[in-house]
Amino acid sequence: MQLPDSVAIAEKGGIHLPFVQAAKVWLNDLATKDGFAIDYIEDTKPVDDAFFAKYQLFIQLNYPPYAWTPTAQAAFIKYIEQGKGGWIGFHHATLLGEFDGYQMWPWFSQFMGGIRFTAYIQTFADGTVTVEDPSHPAMKGVSRQFVIEEEEWYTWDKSPRPNVHVLASVDEKTYKPDSKTKMGDHPVIWTDEHYKARNIYIFMGHHPELFQNLAFTTIFENSIFWAAHEREPR
């Protein structure tokens, strides 16, 4: 039997469940179309070195950087630092700090550019995203600017820009409705080139309607094949 080559860890409940469910439908359709296999897990209990050895790509579908087992943490660090596979993280992957009784994971914070979560737009806002590096494979076929509707737009204690390669940022002046929850320089898609693993963080990931947004799905598809070293994006 051929082992699956991609795995997604997904939140199993809560307000992000509709996004996760839509993501699974979209991912399954893409896997069928492009001939790759994907598994799903809902916690880190099965994650260790042997688990990661089966997969070329690990996707965090809104799964946060806390409540991981120590074994899973150690295996993930090795997977990323040694370039054993690729990684894509969405939305909750930068929920960094002390949450639900769990302490900050310092390594993961550094992986995300040394940031700590501070706030979010609770009432949601539309925002215009600007592609900063159209030459990156993840941005192929994406318009230089596109609108993301009704997103939470996290803020962090500082911009990750000095420590990462920013691929896209949101223009906070375009928020509709306007919000006081701003951070100035506001990257929303980036890759940390200090690690051997191809990796990309995509902030957007709250509503299932994102899968009707061509820019979002193009970036997601491009990122899958780039991070997994499977093929160049179309």
Side-chain angles (χ1 to χ4, degrees), residues 4-231:
D5 56 15
S6 302
V7 63
I9 184 168
E11 293 181 345
K12 58 185 176 182
I15 59 174
H16 293 118
L17 183 58
F19 171 83
V20 168
Q21 291 173 328
K24 288 181 177 180
V25 171
W26 183 86
L27 279 166
N28 291 340
D29 287 346
L30 184 68
T32 299
K33 180 184 73 174
D34 280 286
F36 68 90
I38 185 162
D39 283 346
Y40 299 96
I41 57 174
E42 294 181 339
D43 58 51
T44 64
K45 292 176 184 176
V47 178
D48 57 17
D49 289 340
F51 174 88
F52 274 128
K54 298 185 291 184
Y55 299 108
Q56 294 171 266
L57 179 66
F58 183 67
I59 304 172
Q60 274 179 245
L61 281 176
N62 287 7
Y63 201 84
Y66 57 84
W68 293 46
T69 70
T71 299
Q73 285 185 328
F76 182 69
I77 290 171
K78 187 183 299 183
Y79 186 75
I80 298 298
E81 291 187 344
Q82 296 182 9
K84 293 179 177 293
W87 178 86
I88 306 171
F90 287 91
H91 203 48
H92 254 188
T94 55
L95 195 61
L96 288 152
E98 290 73 34
F99 293 95
D100 298 331
Y102 295 93
Q103 295 301 305
M104 166 76 93
W105 182 356
W107 180 91
F108 205 106
S109 174
Q110 288 304 116
F111 177 45
M112 290 291 93
I115 58 175
R116 173 186 287 266
F117 173 87
T118 55
Y120 67 103
I121 299 178
Q122 298 184 28
T123 53
F124 306 104
D126 298 352
T128 298
V129 173
T130 299
V131 174
E132 296 193 20
D133 183 1
S135 68
H136 192 280
M139 298 293 113
K140 186 172 182 179
V142 180
S143 61
R144 291 298 296 268
Q145 290 191 323
F146 57 90
V147 174
I148 295 293
E149 297 179 342
E150 296 188 56
E151 191 49 272
E152 293 180 306
W153 306 113
Y154 288 179
T155 59
W156 303 283
D157 62 337
K158 56 181 172 291
S159 171
R161 186 180 298 275
N163 302 312
V164 300
H165 178 186
V166 175
L167 304 182
S169 57
V170 63
D171 181 353
E172 295 175 332
K173 297 190 297 295
T174 67
Y175 284 166
K176 294 181 181 179
D178 195 13
S179 171
K180 294 181 180 179
T181 304
K182 296 179 179 178
M183 58 181 290
D185 179 26
H186 197 157
V188 292
I189 305 174
W190 64 78
T191 179
D192 192 333
E193 296 172 340
H194 297 95
Y195 297 84
K196 288 186 178 180
R198 286 188 176 182
N199 62 84
I200 186 166
Y201 172 69
I202 301 168
F203 161 73
M204 293 74 76
H206 188 83
H207 292 302
E209 287 78 12
L210 281 165
F211 290 94
Q212 308 304 315
N213 185 313
L214 181 60
F216 177 82
T217 56
T218 300
I219 292 167
F220 195 171
E221 181 174 354
N222 288 347
S223 298
I224 287 171
F225 295 105
W226 172 75
H229 292 264
E230 280 293 299
R231 61 165 169 79

